[in-house]
Amino acid sequence: MKIRICITFMLGFIIIGTLSGCGTSISEMESSFEELDVDYTTNDDGTYTCRNNIYQYKIEVSGIEGESQVTFIVLTNNAEISFESITYSLKKAEMSTEIPEFVVLGWY
């Protein structure tokens, strides 16, 4: 009889431990938005000005970076800009005197 009670308690603890270990913590569920210190203004006509350059769109572009889902918030004149072109440009990091194709405001 004592063996059955011990086995029942052990199984109960195993089940409770397994179920409580499967949950996602609150910090993992919340997306953490990383905002960069970029000064820009929204113009009356709906465009955006950043560093004396005018951009037509403020969009979110998502994709997989490593093993994580990443979303960039960018100012751009190209509504069809891809996640791959943004990450490639960020990794390439060449200096240019031309108007940037996009400005990253933040990511999550």
Side-chain angles (χ1 to χ4, degrees), residues 66-104:
E67 295 180 4
S68 302
Q69 174 76 24
V70 178
T71 300
F72 290 110
I73 296 91
V74 297
L75 299 178
T76 183
N77 287 321
N78 178 3
E80 302 298 320
I81 192 165
S82 70
F83 179 82
E84 290 76 18
S85 66
I86 291 173
T87 55
Y88 177 75
S89 294
L90 291 174
K91 290 175 185 174
K92 180 172 75 166
E94 291 181 353
M95 294 298 290
S96 174
T97 58
E98 299 175 6
I99 295 174
E101 182 181 5
F102 62 89
V103 176
V104 177

Side-chain angles (χ1 to χ4, degrees), residues 1 11 14 27 37 41 62 65 77 81 84 86 91 98-99 107-108:
M1 183 70 170
L11 287 175
I14 291 171
S27 62
D37 189 20
T41 53
S62 299
E65 181 67 28
N77 287 321
I81 192 165
E84 290 76 18
I86 291 173
K91 290 175 185 174
E98 299 175 6
I99 295 174
W107 66 87
Y108 58 93

